[in-house]
Amino acid sequence: MGDADNRGVPPNNLSEALVQQLNSLGLPELKSVLSYVEHRIEALRTPIEEEIETTAAGEVLKIENHGAYALVRKHPPKSDGSGVSTDRVSLYHVRREHRMDGTQSLHWAYLGDVHNAEQLRCGSCGGILDKEAAVCPHCGTENPNNVETEE
């Protein structure tokens, strides 16, 4: 199993010294290298928020980055192409998608329209409240006047 013949063929753009160093590592060290390389790639990659802002059709209102994906609220473009539909707020699930040619693109999945684009958040715990709520369902705080509005 540790035979050099089973290690695969390294890409030709890696130096021989680096390949030899990697070949000398055991499984725990290789896993650490892999983790390090993944973190480096993520640090060098354009943040998903920037990609969304530059590629989105319509007007982006809010981006919630959840690491592997983002939730995006936006005014969609009008069907006739004459601007954005400001009377609608649509919600999308957006993630990076790997293509067969090795490139990446954003995959947008429409989740539906948000009927109440304004959210009220508890001033105590930050949980989302119904605008009619007298008590926060998350922390139990009586919170009719101490709310933060978020759009």
Side-chain angles (χ1 to χ4, degrees), residues 57-127:
E59 179 188 357
V60 174
L61 301 172
K62 183 177 181 180
I63 301 170
E64 294 177 28
N65 187 343
H66 292 272
Y69 67 93
L71 293 176
V72 179
R73 292 175 191 263
K74 68 176 189 142
H75 291 304
K78 289 184 179 178
S79 58
D80 63 4
S82 66
V84 296
S85 181
T86 56
D87 58 331
R88 284 179 47 207
V89 176
S90 298
L91 181 63
Y92 295 84
H93 179 274
V94 183
R95 63 179 171 79
R96 287 189 168 105
E97 182 174 66
H98 298 279
R99 294 183 173 171
M100 295 297 284
D101 63 1
T103 61
Q104 288 188 358
S105 63
L106 294 180
H107 180 264
W108 291 74
Y110 173 72
L111 300 177
D113 287 341
V114 180
H115 297 289
N116 181 7
E118 182 179 308
Q119 293 180 343
L120 299 177
R121 292 196 175 265
C122 173
S124 178
C125 73

Side-chain angles (χ1 to χ4, degrees), residues 1 11 14 17-19 32-33 41 46-47 70 77 83-84 99 101 108 112-113 129 133 144 149-151:
M1 190 104 171
L14 294 180
L18 179 57
V19 171
S32 293
V33 168
I41 288 171
T46 302
V84 296
R99 294 183 173 171
D101 63 1
W108 291 74
D113 287 341
L129 299 172
T149 302
E150 183 177 289
E151 290 193 51

Side-chain angles (χ1 to χ4, degrees), residues 23-44:
N23 285 342
S24 70
L25 299 176
L27 188 57
E29 293 88 5
L30 283 172
K31 286 182 178 181
S32 293
V33 168
L34 178 60
S35 176
Y36 174 75
V37 168
E38 288 171 343
H39 282 87
R40 285 284 297 138
I41 288 171
E42 195 57 39
L44 295 172

